[in-house]
Amino acid sequence: MIEELYQKNLMRLAANATGSGKLDHPDREETLDNPTCGDRITIQVRLENGKIVEFAQENRACLLCQASASLLAEQAIGMDAESLDQAIEKVQHILNGTTETENPPWEKLEFFTPVKDHKSRHICVLLPFRALKKLLSDKDN
């Protein structure tokens, strides 16, 4: 199972740790936990006109969550709630094995295809996306 899931492209994404760290003055922050495996991610953003202009993430998580958070950080600048929803939909299609014929918004989302056969690990991949979604949809945050 480890060989199937932890492919080199996912290990590289996790090792890059894009966006790792904290922002000095974030507009919003969200922390989510995965109680089944202990993953924890904190995402901070600065927003202008509803779009992300700065993004940071800190996690104590498995390789899949780390890779997902790093990929999200690569793509976050300029995102708004609508573009995030589109990305989440694509991730869910990949994890469910129902990849659409059109290209995903980010080519590297395909790296998560091996996870489709491991349903208990889907939450690991989705945790950073869910944290960002909660952060963007929470007007009081």
Side-chain angles (χ1 to χ4, degrees):
M1 178 174 123
I2 287 176
E3 292 80 23
E4 294 171 20
L5 288 178
Y6 297 154
Q7 296 186 5
K8 287 183 183 176
N9 49 21
L10 290 175
M11 290 190 282
R12 279 188 210 109
L13 266 177
N16 288 344
T18 305
S20 183
K22 291 183 173 187
L23 298 179
D24 288 334
H25 303 288
D27 293 327
R28 296 190 185 166
E29 179 178 312
E30 186 63 49
T31 299
L32 284 184
D33 295 298
N34 176 354
T36 59
C37 71
D39 288 350
R40 170 175 271 194
I41 182 133
T42 299
I43 293 180
Q44 298 177 322
V45 296
R46 284 195 51 252
L47 300 168
E48 287 181 12
N49 301 320
K51 293 190 180 211
I52 298 170
V53 294
E54 285 188 76
F55 179 100
Q57 55 94 3
E58 289 188 307
N59 67 65
R60 186 190 75 230
C62 71
L63 182 130
L64 294 173
C65 186
Q66 290 175 27
S68 180
S70 185
L71 177 58
L72 186 57
E74 284 182 9
Q75 302 295 324
I77 304 305
M79 287 184 78
D80 58 16
E82 183 179 335
S83 58
L84 176 62
D85 286 343
Q86 292 170 356
I88 290 170
E89 184 178 333
K90 297 294 183 179
V91 173
Q92 289 173 326
H93 279 292
I94 289 167
L95 294 176
N96 293 329
T98 58
T99 306
E100 298 170 342
T101 54
E102 68 182 70
N103 292 329
W106 319 326
E107 186 176 302
K108 292 179 185 177
L109 283 177
E110 295 291 337
F111 293 174
F112 294 96
T113 300
V115 183
K116 75 179 187 311
D117 295 329
H118 305 277
K119 294 209 183 287
S120 66
R121 305 306 298 274
H122 291 191
I123 192 169
C124 301
V125 175
L126 289 167
L127 195 65
F129 289 89
R130 289 181 175 156
L132 185 56
K133 180 169 179 64
K134 188 170 187 320
L135 181 149
L136 291 177
S137 62
D138 187 358
K139 304 295 184 204
D140 297 329
N141 194 353

